[in-house]
Amino acid sequence: MAVQHAPAPPVQFQTSPSRYRHFQFQVQGDLARLSMNVQQFEPQREGYELKLNSYDIGVDVELADCLQRLRFEHPKVRTVVVTGSLERVFCAGANIVMLRSSTHGFKVNFCRYTNETRLAIEDASDKSGLRFLAALNGTASGGGYELALACDKILLVDDRNSAVSFPEVPLLGVLPGTGGLTRLTDKRKIRRDRCDVFSTLAEGIKGKRAVEWNLVDAIAPLSRWDEAVAEMARSMAAGTKARGEQGIELESIEPEGSDQVASAYGPLERTRWRHLDLSISRSARCAELTLRLPERWETTQAQALSAQSGWWILRALRELDLCLCNLRFNEPNLALVLLRVQGNPKAWRDTDNLLAASTHWLVRETRFFAARVLKRLENTAKSFYAIADQHAAFVGTGLELALACDRIYAKDDEQCAVHFGVTPMNAGVLPMSNGISRLQTRFLGTPEQASQVLAQTEDFDTARASELGLATFAPDAIDWEDELRLAIEERTSFSPDGMTGMEQNLRFAGPETMETKIFGRLSAWQNWIFQRPNAVGERGALTTYGTPLRPSFDTQRT
Amino acid sequence: MTGIDYSQKIPNNVDLASDKRLQRALEAWQPNYLEWWNSVGPTDFNTKDVYLRTAISAEKDGWAHFGYVKMPDYRWGIFLEPRDEKRTVGFGDHFGEPAWQQVPGEYRNWLRRLIVTQADTEPASVEQQRLLGHTAPSLYDLRNLFQVNVEEGRHLWAMVYLLHTYFGKDGRDEAEELLQRRSGNPDHPRILGTFNEPCTDWLSFFCFTMFTDRDGKFQLLALAESGFDPLARTCRFMLTEEAHHMFVGQTGVARVIERTCQVMQAHPDKDVRDYGAIPLDVIQKYINFWASSSTDLYGAEISSNSANFFRSGLKGRAYEERYDDHLALEGSYAFENLVDGQLVREEVPLRNAMNEVLRDEYVKDNEKGIAYWNRVCERMGNPFRFRLPQRRFHRKIGVYAGGHFDLDGNALSQAEWERRQGDWLPTAKDRAFVQGLMQPVTTPGKSAGWIAPPAKGVNDQPADFLYVRA
């Protein structure tokens, strides 16, 4: 069967509860309830129906938005019940027809984004003490069960019928690739032989056996389902504290204008946001992403709090997050992003002092969000160069942005004000997905170098950044433009797959965590399987699923 | 071993006496089965002698051995049609290969699921009907009810035999769970919706045996084609018994119609309710309810499961041999899909439409039953004509569950449906009226006032035969 690639409309990443189509979201006191109610006939693009609460990117964007709002808009909430609105079905996972009719690049991006969303659940639990209860009111299969696995506790209805299952391997010849296999072994710590049996049993496991195998935490009969959910949610709430009283509203972020600008490699289409410029040249396959530090900024906690979601750093992070998502999904051919941070470095010092020290919930949430955005950047399949030229301010959190990039180009020119600097934010407050700081990761074999960088109390220039091991290259004024041009042209000439693979291997030196395993092992294998004839060939399992044909496999083990 | 004479206790043609593994499994299961029967079967009649038919062999006439028996002592046997050594898989990707005598590992889970789903319906109907004995309109009907009940019990045995023999520990666990689910129980209901509907009056019982057991017939016909030979042979034997259940339903409803027509003839222009008969339009509503609910049992119109089951040779079409093409790879099936509220003609690959193909056969068969009832009206000179609701009407499963439709299958708004559903489905008032008529009649040869007596006795017994005795 021929795979059809439906022309995809751009993915929209901005939404808000009043616009949710696929979720019912309610907050009552310290309890939030998020009920999946996927609209069958409202897929993100044409060509498939979202049956049985199966999801696509449009559904996941709403879930991600909701998680974000829980953290900023609802600090009183202690427990979140994640459940389904359909009878007998919680969620059937990612939509198969959608996957089958997607380009490979879209599939990988979809998988990456949904993985980030599930990790955001665990981040909210770990950092903010929000407790998530997956209340499985019916069968949770594939991605549905993976969503449940991301929650703190799983309660499954015991109607002698509803099960949790991973039918991917036996039915589709692919993996439960949204963290499923890793969370079975590393989070729920289920024996590998049982994981093996469970992951090959299409119909899954239900009832007492599911509890015995630790696939779920508890089961409850239908007649006392609501009661059991409420009880479990209450007891989970008892183990955690509300973060605050009054939330802030996350304002909608829209671009403030767009225009065309000239550049060394031709005209760029520039979109201006309040704190960011994103300029794109599709012909050069290059983008320039520039964070412009504000001229006036909040210097005290009181000012930050009263600015609410207009607090410059929060707004800038949200804009950056949105741009990264757009670059991934809606600009698939761009190869390279030149990242600049420009402005008064004092803005970083004041802001970071607040971010690093404050115990106020809103400031903490902003700090945790900064960590997530940096990870989003590192999980983006584009090359990133940090460019330190005129007015560069890679200080503190700004320095983290540079350290998240694959290379740092710094102009060594007395006429050019380049600021590097460290703040407490560089000392482990913004860990990478490997659990350690970017400086620790960068200087894995020479930890004293990391200490040396952290010991810098003042801003420093390109020469010093070079000595400290921060600048990859430090061309002088004469060489600068040519060096940069060559670096760009070279980068965009490489195989995109080679780049993605290489970067993903180089970015995460050091220890493994569940998170790095999910992206580096599970997703990577999944992406390989997704390309193989045994999955997507003419008689591959994913191609033939739901058709009259049986899959036929190339039996050679790789 | 316990020295039980298995061929006496459990009539069988599967050499139970020498199969230690099966003996062990059934010995553990049988006490639980009896406990199930004694707790949710027709328990208040366990001490009565009932004139029942017992299958004692798979030979010709062996399935119809009549005599008085107390239900708990009924000999629930295990019978498979004799094996045809040359039988081959009759459809799907394995077409022409020798039929399987063992479960193919590749299809183990699907096959188990199919068998469990079929098996689950058997005890379910016994549970649904457990209180009807108290309101039987005649001893003849009481006996028929119990005959249906014990045979459903036997069908459960037949399916459990397959689970025990071919599916190891999982099969034994599933067999155990078949006794734990309960019809209509909110916590552990039976798997399929229709088998959780209350069946507390005799008009419902007749409709159930007419429409729901007819689903059973077509499921069995499809499974009788299975490449897994023991399943095919079991189902073929079950079909003879299923036919009797539908006879009970079809003639039962016919007798109710006949009685109402008599009353209408005798008292034109009067409400038949006043004479203790059930109005024809109320009978039509019961037909609408049970026919539509049973139509759901075939599953979704477009189904990957049905394609999988067909291609793998596990579940075929009814009367597969009548088709020329047993691969069903080329053709497509056109049907009206409901897309975002609109009916849209769509073609789907034939294999994915096997549920619908089976449903087509079912609908055709139902039409014959309707025609039979209309002949009763005709014979009685009554102009009323019964009809089968269009298959989109009142569906809970499949694409049409997403909309509302009238008896002709025309789409309706939610509001219109709310307003008119009482014209088409039994209202609380209708149900209360029918329920009010349900008074037991235990005098031999007599029938309740709302139903005509049967045309003929069971096994040619006289009209006043004592079918059930203390």
Side-chain angles (χ1 to χ4, degrees), chain A residues 144-162:
Chain A
Y145 180 50
E146 292 182 299
L147 176 59
L149 283 170
C151 296
D152 295 288
K153 296 267 185 212
I154 305 173
L155 179 67
L156 171 65
V157 68
D158 182 21
D159 56 5
R160 311 291 156 108
N161 203 31
S162 295

Side-chain angles (χ1 to χ4, degrees), chain A residues 159 203 222-223 546 548 550, chain B residues 93 106 112 186-188 351-352:
Chain A
D159 56 5
E203 67 193 60
L222 261 177
S223 60
R550 68 184 302 205
Chain B
D93 291 348
E106 185 184 356
R112 193 186 54 204
D187 288 340
H188 36 99
R351 283 186 176 186
N352 291 62

Side-chain angles (χ1 to χ4, degrees), chain A residues 464-481:
Chain A
R464 183 72 183 130
S466 232
E467 282 167 25
L468 287 168
L470 295 177
T472 313
F473 294 106
D476 61 19
I478 299 165
D479 291 337
W480 175 254
E481 275 190 20

Side-chain angles (χ1 to χ4, degrees), chain A residues 40-41 49 51 88 158-161 171 200-203 206 209 221-224 539 544-551, chain B residues 93-94 106-107 109-110 112-113 174 177 180-181 186-191 304 307 311 329 337-340 349 351-352:
Chain A
Q40 182 174 345
F41 300 108
E49 289 172 17
K51 289 182 186 166
R88 285 185 168 212
D158 182 21
D159 56 5
R160 311 291 156 108
N161 203 31
L171 286 189
T200 52
L201 190 61
E203 67 193 60
K206 59 184 186 259
R209 198 165 175 214
L222 261 177
S223 60
R224 54 177 305 276
R539 294 296 297 270
T544 57
Y545 179 75
T547 75
L549 299 171
R550 68 184 302 205
Chain B
D93 291 348
H94 299 283
E106 185 184 356
Y107 302 137
N109 291 326
W110 284 348
R112 193 186 54 204
R113 183 57 31 213
E174 291 283 7
E177 285 193 33
Q180 287 169 8
R181 285 186 286 265
D187 288 340
H188 36 99
R190 291 292 169 185
I191 297 171
S304 2
R311 72 156 164 81
L329 269 173
N337 199 357
L338 182 68
V339 180
D340 218 357
R351 283 186 176 186
N352 291 62

